[in-house]
Amino acid sequence: MKLVRKSGVQLAALVITLLLLPFITDALLGRGWVRIADFAMLYIMLALGLNIVVGYAGLLDLGYIAFFAVGAYCYALTGSPHLALAFPMAFPDGVHLSFWIVLPLAALTAGSFGMLLGAPTLRLRGDYLAIVTLGFGEIIRIFLNNLNAPINLTNGPQGISRIDPVRVADVSLSATQNIFGIAFPSVHLYFYLFLAFTALVVIVSRRLERSRIGRAWMAIREDEIAASAMGLNTRNLKLLAFAMGAMFGGASGALFAGFQGFVSPESFSLMESIMVLCMVVLGGMGNIAGVILGGVLLAILPEVLRHSVVPLQQALFGKTVVDPESLRMLLFGTALIVMMLYRPAGLLPSRVRRRELGSDEAPESL
Amino acid sequence: MTDMKPLLRLSSIGKQFGGLSALSDVSLHIRRGEIYGLIGPNGAGKTTLFNVITGLYQPSAGGFEFDGKKYQACKPHVLAKAGIARTFQNIRLFANLTALENVMIGRHVRTRAGVFGALLRDRATRSEEHAITERSRELLRYVGIEKPAQTLAKHLSYGEQRRLEIARALATDPLLLALDEPAAGMNATETESLKALLQTIPDRGITVLLIEHDVKLIMGLCDRVAVLDYGRKIAEGVPEDVRKDPAVIAAYLGSGDE
């Protein structure tokens, strides 16, 4: 059909643009921006994971970054010399498992943490659930911060460094590689790795959304009592939503640790949870395209500010009046308020919400 | 009614809310294939009884037997799986999903695709998904709201919403369909067409339990009727007998003569 051909062409164009993106960015804006694009990709994966919990199942989770942390520390511990400090007898050189072994383990570990969080909160909804999940996120972070004694498991606030880079087919992604005579710097290589994972996460999200399980989650979001009266095992489905969301978080955490080579509890603060939630809400809860847009905007905006605010103020006033970090919060807050007033369903509302907004003008023809 | 064993048998159900006794010692049985009416003044405990047999409330006393099995302290989804489906007095649709999706969710309990099925989209999952959609469309057609299948549930008219609830409940392939005031808020024409719909449900092999205020509807539709008042069953029988019962007249209509 024509429609199919058209969307096929669009898809091909999108793929080519994305494949060229690191080179274009590198040429136009500099290497730093490729790195920012890499982080944006990680954020998109996180936001899509959270979208399962918040957007589909309607469970407000303010501690989502904890699963990212669990995944990151999974790889940090099993892919660095660090464990030699804690268990010098057992691991004199630390543990150096392959990233590809740790990745599923990290996802599964984070998934079990998701269940662990889900189990006691099954009866809670809305604000109450948000508060418990917020507490959970902080508990994980505080544990990571303090588990350097009596045995040094996490190295406390100093974090774990010298994490092995990700290797694909024995090629390390941390060094520039020449492929077909083209030099691919490390950030470019990671960009492609993250792009592949983001694509996978998008496909998984889409398939879940349009499945029996996805419908069941949305039924719980809409009316839990009616859902259970229709025979939905709400307990299991909610646990499943928490676990699936957490697995996405854990996998992106492992990617983050491999990319960064260093993790510390500082990266997993409450602010990060809120950032990811903002991406979901700002973009359009329950809509994959919206969530991606939200992720891109919120990951790039602070960098744009960082690069523009200080030079701008220097030029205007000759000194820095407002530092970019506080300006970022100010803009964020304003943006959220404006959004809630004018586009409460997000920049790209979900299919259903869009229809709901549109159907007043164009009612179903009978 | 060849099978003489009742489909649902309640024995001495009691339900207390603090000091208030919403139901006490209610026993009744519903035969396969009949339309059984449950009437009574406001606050008589009809909806409480519904909530007990659909698992939303746990009875304080007594228990019930459904399709030959005893159920005690069961979750709603267990009873739905056993074959009890219900509608709600104050409509509880999945408001932001389409009419079709609402019915498709009703099929959940009779289908099995899990996460792996969703991710792999194998042949079994695809054909199950296809069957779910087909069946749901058929049910929408059956209750007469085929056209607005892609409309959000909350944008349907009131009467359509009531019908959609019935379609959603039927999608769970119930043995017993429990309807909580399906005609509430409908005008005479809508009630009449609803009655025509309800009359065809037993032909699908489904027993109907009906709470209703509209006495005319109950009398014209039900094979048997039970009357609740202050949480007790005060009468049971065929509609003609029940409406002549002095206790019913006193409780329901308030005064002596009809």
Side-chain angles (χ1 to χ4, degrees):
Chain A
M1 268 168 66
K2 203 174 163 192
L3 195 77
V4 176
R5 206 178 307 142
K6 196 180 157 206
S7 68
V9 171
Q10 280 174 346
L11 187 68
L14 181 71
V15 169
I16 292 169
T17 314
L18 284 173
L19 287 179
L20 293 177
L21 193 65
F23 287 98
I24 300 170
T25 317
D26 196 2
L28 294 180
L29 298 164
R31 189 134 311 163
W33 281 92
V34 184
R35 197 179 160 76
I36 292 164
D38 290 1
F39 273 106
M41 216 77 88
L42 280 173
Y43 274 121
I44 290 171
M45 282 187 250
L46 277 178
L48 285 170
L50 183 62
N51 184 44
I52 291 183
V53 186
V54 179
Y56 297 164
L59 304 162
L60 185 52
D61 186 347
L62 283 183
Y64 186 68
I65 209 73
F67 306 123
F68 188 60
V70 168
Y73 270 84
C74 271
Y75 186 54
L77 290 175
T78 55
S80 79
H82 174 74
L83 278 186
L85 290 177
F87 310 104
M89 306 304 256
F91 311 111
D93 302 318
V95 184
H96 296 276
L97 291 176
S98 156
F99 175 79
W100 301 102
I101 295 172
V102 179
L103 182 72
L105 291 179
L108 285 178
T109 312
S112 358
F113 271 86
M115 297 260 222
L116 196 71
L117 167 67
T121 56
L122 283 169
R123 289 159 176 276
L124 304 178
R125 283 194 75 79
D127 320 358
Y128 303 98
L129 179 64
I131 289 176
V132 177
T133 53
L134 187 153
F136 177 82
E138 285 299 283
I139 288 170
I140 298 282
R141 188 181 62 80
I142 290 167
F143 260 104
L144 295 176
N145 222 353
N146 292 287
L147 272 182
N148 51 355
I151 45 168
N152 187 354
L153 206 56
T154 65
N155 209 22
Q158 281 117 37
I160 298 174
S161 53
R162 289 195 288 151
I163 301 169
D164 302 341
V166 180
R167 303 179 78 85
V168 179
D170 226 36
V171 174
S172 167
L173 298 192
S174 69
T176 304
Q177 303 288 346
N178 279 302
I179 304 166
F180 308 124
I182 306 168
F184 286 79
S186 172
V187 279
H188 289 44
L189 296 170
Y190 274 106
F191 180 89
Y192 293 123
L193 180 73
F194 292 175
L195 186 64
F197 273 99
T198 308
L200 184 71
V201 167
V202 168
I203 293 170
V204 168
S205 288
R206 260 177 79 105
R207 293 200 160 186
L208 281 175
E209 183 184 348
R210 292 163 196 193
S211 73
R212 171 173 173 267
I213 300 290
R215 278 195 302 274
W217 282 336
M218 292 182 226
I220 291 174
R221 177 190 74 199
E222 293 296 317
D223 188 330
E224 196 169 337
I225 289 178
S228 71
M230 288 307 120
L232 271 57
N233 187 335
T234 52
R235 183 196 59 192
N236 290 1
L237 284 162
K238 282 158 88 173
L239 281 179
L240 183 65
F242 270 120
M244 290 299 295
M247 281 174 77
F248 282 35
S252 12
L255 287 168
F256 169 74
F259 173 51
Q260 183 92 323
F262 166 73
V263 294
S264 77
E266 211 184 325
S267 312
F268 311 110
S269 62
L270 173 63
M271 217 36 236
E272 293 293 315
S273 283
I274 291 176
M275 274 284 279
V276 178
L277 185 65
C278 282
M279 292 171 183
V280 176
V281 174
L282 188 80
M285 233 189 281
N287 181 26
I288 295 170
V291 172
I292 294 175
L293 179 67
V296 171
L297 284 181
L298 292 199
I300 289 183
L301 182 76
E303 305 301 329
V304 174
L305 286 179
R306 189 171 319 182
H307 287 89
S308 61
V309 167
V310 176
L312 193 71
Q313 293 186 46
Q314 292 287 358
L316 283 177
F317 315 114
K319 59 179 179 182
T320 309
V321 183
V322 193
D323 82 305
E325 191 59 18
S326 34
L327 193 65
R328 176 171 82 124
M329 286 302 137
L330 189 70
L331 282 177
F332 252 39
T334 320
L336 279 179
I337 294 171
V338 170
M339 284 290 297
M340 288 304 122
L341 285 174
Y342 296 103
R343 299 210 64 149
L347 290 173
L348 288 179
S350 74
R351 172 181 62 98
V352 172
R353 280 161 208 246
R354 190 163 56 236
R355 200 184 303 143
E356 156 197 338
L357 294 169
S359 68
D360 292 315
E361 292 105 54
E364 194 87 7
S365 58
L366 292 178
Chain B
M1 261 171 269
T2 44
D3 190 353
M4 274 298 124
K5 269 199 94 152
L7 178 65
L8 176 72
R9 181 195 294 279
L10 308 183
S11 17
S12 317
I13 296 267
K15 177 70 191 172
Q16 303 265 332
F17 292 110
L20 178 80
S21 172
L23 290 173
S24 51
D25 201 24
V26 176
S27 299
L28 51 84
H29 63 274
I30 299 175
R31 301 190 193 115
R32 279 171 206 275
E34 71 178 346
I35 298 184
Y36 191 94
L38 194 59
I39 58 174
N42 279 331
K46 306 181 296 284
T47 297
T48 306
L49 187 66
F50 252 49
N51 287 343
V52 167
I53 64 171
T54 52
L56 290 182
Y57 293 163
Q58 304 307 332
S60 319
F64 63 90
E65 206 181 299
F66 179 73
D67 198 23
K69 282 197 210 78
K70 276 195 176 1
Y71 290 91
Q72 205 130 36
C74 277
K75 295 268 185 210
H77 69 89
V78 177
L79 290 160
K81 180 132 200 166
I84 302 179
R86 70 170 294 172
T87 64
F88 293 88
Q89 185 179 353
N90 43 347
I91 301 171
R92 300 191 79 133
L93 288 165
F94 306 123
N96 289 312
L97 301 179
T98 65
L100 184 65
E101 282 169 330
N102 268 272
V103 185
M104 287 170 85
I105 287 160
R107 292 301 298 158
H108 184 94
V109 70
R110 302 291 169 219
T111 46
R112 26 185 322 136
V115 169
F116 291 107
L119 297 186
L120 302 174
R121 276 219 183 139
D122 54 316
R123 185 178 295 244
T125 310
R126 286 198 311 262
S127 74
E128 182 183 279
E129 196 70 4
H130 182 72
I132 291 173
T133 317
E134 284 306 301
R135 184 70 204 286
S136 305
R137 287 195 183 281
E138 188 257 313
L139 283 166
L140 283 178
R141 204 155 37 231
Y142 174 67
V143 300
I145 49 170
E146 188 190 3
K147 276 173 188 154
Q150 298 300 334
T151 307
L152 293 189
K154 65 177 181 190
H155 289 147
L156 294 177
S157 76
Y158 185 78
E160 286 170 336
Q161 292 193 359
R162 287 261 175 227
R163 281 162 181 269
L164 180 55
E165 270 215 325
I166 295 175
R168 184 179 68 176
L170 285 174
T172 66
D173 285 344
L175 296 170
L176 178 71
L177 175 64
L179 304 168
D180 198 345
E181 298 200 27
M186 286 188 173
N187 63 31
T189 338
E190 286 172 325
T191 308
E192 207 44 50
S193 80
L194 179 75
K195 183 177 165 190
L197 170 67
L198 295 184
Q199 269 166 336
T200 64
I201 290 179
D203 301 340
R204 298 172 81 96
I206 296 166
T207 309
V208 178
L209 169 60
L210 181 65
I211 291 182
E212 195 43 76
H213 267 309
D214 189 327
V215 178
K216 226 174 85 194
L217 181 68
I218 285 273
M219 294 299 169
L221 199 58
C222 296
D223 300 304
R224 289 191 309 136
V225 174
V227 186
L228 285 185
D229 190 28
Y230 292 110
R232 293 174 182 280
K233 187 175 85 174
I234 56 169
E236 184 181 21
V238 292
E240 290 76 44
D241 296 348
V242 167
R243 86 196 288 174
K244 290 184 200 117
D245 193 307
V248 176
I249 294 167
Y252 202 76
L253 302 173
S255 66
D257 281 330
E258 201 176 347

